[in-house]
Amino acid sequence: MSALLAGSSGQAADFYLTVVVTQTGGGVLFLLSMLVRRPVVGVVLGIVRGERLAWRLDRPRRRRYYLCTAVFLAKFAIAAAVLLPLYLTEAVVPLGIAATHLGGAPAAGVCVYLCWRILRERPVA
């Protein structure tokens, strides 16, 4: 898809348009999920754990799900704030570097690690 966009427009920066749109859209989705009181991380983990929305009755767990959703929201917001100006100025090399690090596995890995730390069960002392 990215190569098709860049090839049809003749602009190399268009190769990264899908990353810019995905990061911006992800940020909007995660923000809206928090505003409607259904944080994405809570909804997904509720489905995975088979508890649906029962987590909403557990205040500490609900707070942790909101915090994890906020971690991903921050990642999307930072990525969009960096990628969009680079895309608009057609700075292809910095855009490629930023898209790889902010829109790819490195940033997502940091978010997953932080969420794991937030959500892990504390041993009873």
Side-chain angles (χ1 to χ4, degrees):
M1 180 67 166
S2 296
L4 182 64
L5 282 171
S8 64
S9 71
Q11 300 295 322
D14 285 346
F15 183 82
Y16 299 103
L17 181 60
T18 55
V19 177
V20 173
V21 170
T22 301
Q23 297 305 305
T24 305
V28 170
L29 174 72
F30 275 64
L31 177 62
L32 286 176
S33 78
M34 292 177 72
L35 293 176
V36 298
R37 299 175 164 246
R38 300 286 192 278
V40 171
V41 173
V43 171
V44 170
L45 289 179
I47 292 169
V48 168
R49 292 179 173 177
E51 61 185 6
R52 297 191 183 185
L53 295 177
W55 55 267
R56 296 189 71 222
L57 301 175
D58 184 0
R59 188 173 186 177
R61 186 183 302 175
R62 187 175 66 234
R63 283 184 178 177
R64 289 193 304 263
Y65 287 163
Y66 270 99
L67 185 56
C68 286
T69 302
V71 166
F72 277 96
L73 173 60
K75 173 240 185 268
F76 286 123
I78 291 168
V82 170
L83 294 172
L84 192 56
L86 291 173
Y87 174 76
L88 293 175
T89 60
E90 297 183 5
V92 179
V93 173
L95 181 58
I97 294 168
T100 301
H101 292 297
L102 296 174
V110 169
C111 290
V112 169
Y113 173 74
L114 290 174
C115 289
W116 172 74
R117 294 292 304 242
I118 292 166
L119 295 173
R120 71 183 177 158
E121 297 291 326
R122 306 264 190 253
V124 179

